[in-house]
């Protein structure tokens, strides 16, 4: 009978109309993202402002989009003077975090970083040798896992 | 269905290259369309056509399938000063856009193609982007 | 008499009928992205059609020549952004074949599971947009509910909903949390099937939908082969070509499933093939979760890979058809030539043949059945 399919479709929408809503009430209720979500590139640092980064440049050289700029201390090459992230270019691929031998880089799930000013998309994780407020505070200075020395050389 | 590669290659004054991962038939460009015609009549269908810029020469590479799992590469080598080759459009009409893309990206002219115009780049674009001589902006600055 | 009026009379006398050219797109809402179609119309009938593409051309093939093999994975994600895992897998298979890298058993199972899950989400996206193309708003909203649920799983296990960058040469990035897998199993076994049944009730039996799709833009197997059409569109014409069966990869040969085909070759057949494929894919993903062995998920591969000199072409059954990666290596850490044979590119090139003679309102019904993604066509 013509119209049977239409009626069936109407019954589906009718049932949905009475059922529960599938909505994120976003500004009123913030969603909790899973800990693996790659949202905001951050760095682990101790409460006294010491970042775990040892300026090995692995992240800067492995980044596909030149997001990371590290300035090494000329006297102590294992110390970063500044660590800047241009998040406007970032594609959130996670290669930097994966390759970091000291597990210093990490992603937080803070997604409310929209801005009206393009200039503020570049932020520092280390400035003048100390970790900035954008870092994640951890108690331990040593990495939780021993550095994974995977085979291979850095990008030429 | 299997195709006797050696016989097909010999009939079109080409040779079979078995050094790579898939067998390849390399023919001079004069017999490029005849090769495709002969394969098409044997029930071979096409998968892809593209070019590889080797500096002095440009290789035109077509991937065809003799059976669902048997894959053959067809190759012809064009000198840089004269990038023309017969179009495979009369053999496989689906080559239309693939050849337009190869023309757009490498500047290879396919003789007999009904509508050889740029497809991905805009009309009036100068140069052929996938040639090695086409530099990116960052490379231009560096050199 | 109205003919005596000076203007009307002259109009009637000099009036000639001629065809008009209509530019549809690139910003038309039904064009699935920035797709531009020049239509030559006689009244409402399409005499000729010429697709104009390239508005989303990002030069991915050129960019890839300037990046290392591992960095190219980021670009590969952005080719066909609604079946990301299929792209990544095809690319990984090409490099693994070129550099002779072994993949652990568990990684093969994980890859198969993700590829089939993403086939479900991709077809759900298509299902929603087919509804939109035909003027119905409901399906797209319904289709996004299961799609978002599967994306939640992707986000929890790989870190991103759309651009996972999850597969690696020689395996996958990391193993999946068993609790997540269990929750997904429960979802696939019950709720997803319920949702697909709901979609069938919503659209598949709808008489208006059927009358608009039945017999529309028929295509024969020979035509499909000649135009280079692959994937669900080809299987809707009665061909059994499916690279998952023809050139087995992953663990497809160990799963219990069948390739969906139809013999009618019209728009309705394309719809029906994809709707059944979703169920088959969900079934396969379930089997993967149940039968996945424990073990390593990744072999050690140099961080900066230098494959030996040579070239490789790998064909892969993506959600839209035959996805090919043609990689030429010169032994350096960067690919010498990076070529993508995109399935949607070839499928869309058959559009002028399919829509000649159709009415303009039918054009969208035909176009929706092609299931194109402009990012993959323009690269």
């Amino acid at each position: 009978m013509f119209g049977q399919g239409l009626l069936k479709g109407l019954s589906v929408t009718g049932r949905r109309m009475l059922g529960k809503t599938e909505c994120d009430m976003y500004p009123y209720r913030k969603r909790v993202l899973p800990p693996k979500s790659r949202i905001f590139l951050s760095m682990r640092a101790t409460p006294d402002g010491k970042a775990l980064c040892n300026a090995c440049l692995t992240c800067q050289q492995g980044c596909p989009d030149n997001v990371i700029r590290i300035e090494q201390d000329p006297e102590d090459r294992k110390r970063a003077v500044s660590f800047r992230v241009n998040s406007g270019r970032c594609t959130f691929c996670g290669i930097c975090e994966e390759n970091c031998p000291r597990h210093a880089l990490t992603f937080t799930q803070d997604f409310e970083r929209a801005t009206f000013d393009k200039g503020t998309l570049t932020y520092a994780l280390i400035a003048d040798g100390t970790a900035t407020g954008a870092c994640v505070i951890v108690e331990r200075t040593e990495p939780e896992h021993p550095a994974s020395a995977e085979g291979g050389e850095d990008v030429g | 269905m299997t195709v006797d590669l050696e016989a097909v290659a010999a009939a079109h004054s080409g040779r079979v290259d078995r050094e790579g991962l898939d067998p390849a038939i390399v023919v001079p460009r004069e017999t490029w369309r005849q090769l495709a015609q002969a394969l098409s009549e044997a029930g071979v269908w096409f998968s892809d056509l593209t070019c590889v810029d080797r500096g002095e020469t440009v290789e035109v590479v077509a991937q065809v399938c003799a059976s669902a799992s048997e894959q053959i590469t067809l190759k012809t080598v064009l000198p840089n000063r004269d990038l023309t080759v017969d179009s495979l459009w009369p053999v496989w009409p689906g080559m239309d856009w693939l050849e337009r893309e190869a023309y757009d990206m490498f500047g290879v002219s396919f003789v007999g193609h009904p509508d050889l115009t740029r497809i991905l780049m805009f009309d009036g674009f100068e140069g052929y982007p996938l040639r090695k001589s086409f530099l990116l902006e960052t490379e231009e600055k560096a050199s | 008499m109205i003919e005596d009026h000076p203007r009307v009379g002259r109009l009637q006398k000099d009036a000639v009928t001629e065809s008009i050219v209509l530019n549809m797109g690139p910003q038309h809402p039904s064009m699935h992205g920035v797709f531009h179609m020049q239509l030559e119309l006689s009244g409402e009938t399409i005499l000729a059609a010429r697709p104009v593409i390239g508005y989303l051309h990002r030069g991915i093939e050129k960019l890839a020549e300037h990046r290392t093999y591992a960095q190219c994975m980021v670009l590969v994600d952005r080719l066909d952004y609604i079946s990301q895992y299929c792209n990544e897998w095809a690319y990984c298979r090409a490099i693994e074949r070129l550099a002779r890298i072994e993949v652990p058993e568990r990684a093969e199972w994980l890859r198969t599971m993700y590829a089939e899950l993403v086939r479900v989400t991709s077809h759900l996206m298509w299902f929603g947009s087919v509804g939109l193309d035909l003027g119905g708003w409901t399906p797209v909203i319904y289709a996004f509910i299961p799609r978002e649920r599967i994306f939640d799983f992707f986000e929890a296990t790989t870190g991103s909903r759309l651009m996972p960058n999850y597969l690696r040469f020689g395996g996958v990035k990391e193993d999946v949390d068993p609790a997540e897998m269990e929750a997904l199993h429960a979802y696939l076994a019950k709720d997803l099937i319920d949702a697909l049944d709901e979609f069938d009730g919503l659209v598949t039996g709808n008489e208006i939908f059927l009358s608009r799709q039945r017999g529309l833009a028929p295509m024969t197997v020979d035509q499909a082969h000649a135009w280079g059409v692959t994937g669900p569109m080809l299987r809707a014409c009665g061909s059994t070509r499916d690279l998952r069966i023809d050139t087995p990869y992953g663990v497809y040969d160990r799963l219990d499933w069948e390739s969906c085909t139809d013999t009618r070759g019209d728009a309705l057949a394309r719809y029906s093939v994809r709707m059944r494929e979703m169920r088959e894919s969900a079934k396969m993903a379930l089997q993967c979760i149940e039968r996945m062995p424990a073990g390593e998920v990744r072999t050690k591969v140099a961080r900066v890979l230098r494959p030996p000199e040579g070239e490789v072409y790998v064909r892969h059954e993506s959600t839209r058809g035959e996805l090919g990666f043609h990689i030429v290596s010169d032994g350096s850490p960067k690919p010498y030539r990076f070529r993508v044979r995109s399935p949607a590119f070839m499928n869309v090139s058959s559009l002028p043949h399919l829509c000649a003679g159709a009415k303009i309102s039918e054009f969208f019904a035909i176009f929706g059945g092609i299931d194109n993604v402009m990012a993959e066509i323009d690269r």
Side-chain angles (χ1 to χ4, degrees), chain A residues 31 37-38 62 93 98 153, chain C residues 71 152 155 164-165 168 298:
Chain A
R31 195 167 170 187
S37 279
R38 299 190 293 264
C93 64
E98 190 189 0
E153 70 254 73
Chain C
Q71 289 174 342
D152 283 345
E155 187 177 23
N165 190 20
R168 293 287 182 275
R298 192 172 176 181

Side-chain angles (χ1 to χ4, degrees), chain A residues 2-125:
Chain A
F2 186 86
Q4 226 168 5
L6 290 171
L7 286 177
K8 200 172 170 198
L10 274 179
S11 75
V12 170
T13 45
R15 232 176 302 136
R16 274 281 173 190
M17 201 165 74
L18 302 172
K20 76 173 174 58
T21 50
E22 302 266 353
C23 239
D24 271 2
M25 306 301 286
Y26 163 57
Y28 310 107
R29 207 178 307 149
K30 253 174 93 170
R31 195 167 170 187
V32 181
L33 297 182
K36 273 186 189 165
S37 279
R38 299 190 293 264
I39 305 290
F40 177 71
L41 182 61
S42 178
M43 186 182 282
R44 295 196 171 92
T46 53
D48 55 345
K50 202 162 165 289
L52 260 64
C53 174
N54 63 351
C56 67
L57 304 186
T58 310
C59 50
Q60 181 179 318
Q61 286 160 348
C63 180
D65 298 290
N66 301 325
V67 169
I68 298 170
R69 277 277 163 272
I70 303 173
E71 205 182 307
Q72 286 175 327
D73 190 342
E75 283 151 28
D76 177 7
R77 296 185 73 83
K78 288 196 167 177
R79 191 171 156 275
V81 176
S82 91
F83 189 111
R84 296 181 67 76
V85 180
N86 181 356
S87 61
R89 301 184 64 124
C90 184
T91 57
F92 307 94
C93 64
I95 290 179
C96 51
E97 181 203 26
E98 190 189 0
N99 286 348
C100 183
R102 280 174 65 89
H103 297 280
L105 286 173
T106 180
F107 279 95
T108 67
Q109 283 72 51
D110 176 13
F111 55 85
E112 289 181 321
R113 291 266 171 180
T115 169
F116 287 105
D117 179 9
K118 219 165 92 180
T120 55
L121 285 173
T122 302
Y123 57 89
L125 289 172

Side-chain angles (χ1 to χ4, degrees), chain B residues 116-136:
Chain B
L116 201 63
T117 48
R118 287 198 179 268
I119 183 165
L120 293 178
M121 306 306 293
F122 49 92
D123 296 334
F125 181 81
E126 278 177 28
Y128 300 104
L130 281 178
R131 296 284 289 275
K132 291 285 172 188
S133 54
F134 188 97
L135 299 181
L136 293 183

Side-chain angles (χ1 to χ4, degrees), chain A residues 1-10 12-17 22 31 33-34 36-39 58 61-65 91-95 97-99 101 148-156, chain C residues 67-68 70-71 74 78 138 142 145 148 152 155-161 163-165 168 173-177 180 195 197-203 205-208 298 300-304 306 334:
Chain A
M1 188 192 79
F2 186 86
Q4 226 168 5
L6 290 171
L7 286 177
K8 200 172 170 198
L10 274 179
V12 170
T13 45
R15 232 176 302 136
R16 274 281 173 190
M17 201 165 74
E22 302 266 353
R31 195 167 170 187
L33 297 182
K36 273 186 189 165
S37 279
R38 299 190 293 264
I39 305 290
T58 310
Q61 286 160 348
C63 180
D65 298 290
T91 57
F92 307 94
C93 64
I95 290 179
E97 181 203 26
E98 190 189 0
N99 286 348
S148 56
E150 278 181 35
E153 70 254 73
D154 289 333
V155 188
Chain C
R67 286 161 184 239
T68 62
Q71 289 174 342
V74 182
R78 282 153 180 78
T138 320
Y142 280 55
I145 299 169
E148 289 297 304
D152 283 345
E155 187 177 23
T157 54
T158 70
S160 182
R161 300 175 85 82
M163 303 290 157
N165 190 20
R168 293 287 182 275
K173 186 179 170 190
E174 56 198 346
D175 208 342
V176 177
D177 183 8
E180 289 289 344
D197 288 341
E198 198 178 64
F199 299 159
D200 275 338
L202 197 64
V203 174
N206 188 313
E207 283 86 358
I208 299 171
R298 192 172 176 181
K300 281 236 153 78
V301 173
R303 190 187 292 148
V304 179
R306 289 169 198 271
K334 295 172 183 176

Side-chain angles (χ1 to χ4, degrees), chain B residues 47-48 50-51 53 101 115, chain C residues 50 322 336 339 341 379:
Chain B
S47 170
D48 188 24
T50 187
C51 296
D53 184 2
E101 193 191 343
D115 176 29
Chain C
R50 182 182 158 86
E322 180 183 323
Y336 185 78
R339 153 83 186 162
R341 188 263 191 214
R379 296 188 292 281

Side-chain angles (χ1 to χ4, degrees), chain B residues 21-22 45-55 59 61 63 65 67-71 73 75 92-95 97-98 100-101 105-106 115 117 119-121 129-132 134-136 139, chain C residues 35 50-55 57 61-63 65-66 97-98 100 225-228 241 243 246-247 311-315 322 326 328 335-337 339-341 345-346 348-349 352-353 377-379:
Chain B
L21 293 162
D22 292 311
W45 66 85
F46 73 101
S47 170
D48 188 24
L49 180 130
T50 187
C51 296
V52 181
D53 184 2
R54 297 284 187 183
E59 280 173 11
V61 187
Q63 310 284 350
C65 307
S67 68
S69 57
E70 190 186 351
Q71 187 179 315
T73 307
K75 264 187 202 176
W92 290 302
M95 283 287 181
W97 279 23
L98 291 171
R100 272 178 75 188
E101 193 191 343
M105 293 292 154
F106 290 90
D115 176 29
T117 48
I119 183 165
L120 293 178
M121 306 306 293
L130 281 178
R131 296 284 289 275
K132 291 285 172 188
F134 188 97
L135 299 181
L136 293 183
E139 291 174 297
Chain C
F35 183 65
R50 182 182 158 86
V52 181
I53 61 171
Y55 292 97
H57 180 58
E61 291 180 8
K62 184 78 174 176
L63 286 175
E65 289 174 11
H66 295 80
R97 183 155 179 236
L98 190 60
R100 290 172 187 82
H225 278 177
W227 297 334
R241 264 172 63 193
L243 291 169
D246 298 338
T247 58
E311 59 186 286
V312 66
Y313 182 74
V314 161
R315 301 186 295 146
E322 180 183 323
H326 180 194
V328 181
Y336 185 78
R337 174 86 174 94
R339 153 83 186 162
V340 186
R341 188 263 191 214
F345 181 81
M346 296 306 296
V348 164
S349 75
H353 307 286
I377 295 170
D378 293 345
R379 296 188 292 281

Side-chain angles (χ1 to χ4, degrees), chain C residues 34-54:
Chain C
V34 277
F35 183 65
H36 177 188
M37 193 82 181
Q38 288 176 336
L39 299 173
E40 194 189 344
L41 300 173
S42 163
E44 272 200 54
T45 311
I46 299 171
L47 299 178
R50 182 182 158 86
V52 181
I53 61 171

Side-chain angles (χ1 to χ4, degrees), chain C residues 39-214:
Chain C
L39 299 173
E40 194 189 344
L41 300 173
S42 163
E44 272 200 54
T45 311
I46 299 171
L47 299 178
R50 182 182 158 86
V52 181
I53 61 171
Y55 292 97
L56 203 57
H57 180 58
R58 294 152 296 170
I60 280 188
E61 291 180 8
K62 184 78 174 176
L63 286 175
E65 289 174 11
H66 295 80
R67 286 161 184 239
T68 62
Y69 285 95
Q71 289 174 342
C72 287
M73 192 73 83
V74 182
L75 295 177
V76 169
D77 272 339
R78 282 153 180 78
L79 279 173
D80 178 354
Y81 50 82
I82 59 178
S83 60
Q84 320 84 1
Y85 294 95
C86 286
N87 295 345
E88 289 189 7
W89 195 5
Y91 175 56
C92 277
R93 278 179 62 215
I95 302 300
E96 279 155 9
R97 183 155 179 236
L98 190 60
R100 290 172 187 82
I101 299 168
E102 289 290 320
V103 182
E105 178 77 7
R106 187 177 169 81
E108 291 280 22
W109 284 85
L110 278 172
R111 286 175 176 194
T112 312
M113 182 188 80
Y114 276 102
E116 289 312 314
L117 283 175
V118 90
R119 199 181 303 274
V120 174
T121 60
S122 167
H123 284 353
L124 283 170
M125 180 74 225
W126 154 83
F127 170 76
S129 56
V130 157
L132 278 182
D133 287 345
L134 295 175
W137 270 98
T138 320
V140 70
I141 301 189
Y142 280 55
F144 266 66
I145 299 169
R147 188 172 135 93
E148 289 297 304
R149 171 61 189 83
I150 297 175
F151 276 179
D152 283 345
F153 171 76
F154 289 165
E155 187 177 23
T157 54
T158 70
S160 182
R161 300 175 85 82
L162 273 174
M163 303 290 157
N165 190 20
Y166 178 63
L167 268 60
R168 293 287 182 275
F169 309 131
V172 297
K173 186 179 170 190
E174 56 198 346
D175 208 342
V176 177
D177 183 8
E180 289 289 344
M181 205 101 104
E182 224 164 86
L184 180 76
H185 184 279
Y187 180 78
L188 290 180
K190 172 99 188 25
D191 298 353
L192 182 68
I193 302 300
D194 287 353
L196 291 177
D197 288 341
E198 198 178 64
F199 299 159
D200 275 338
L202 197 64
V203 174
T204 310
N206 188 313
E207 283 86 358
I208 299 171
F209 175 79
L210 288 177
S211 62
R212 286 193 67 179
Q213 295 267 302
R214 192 174 281 142

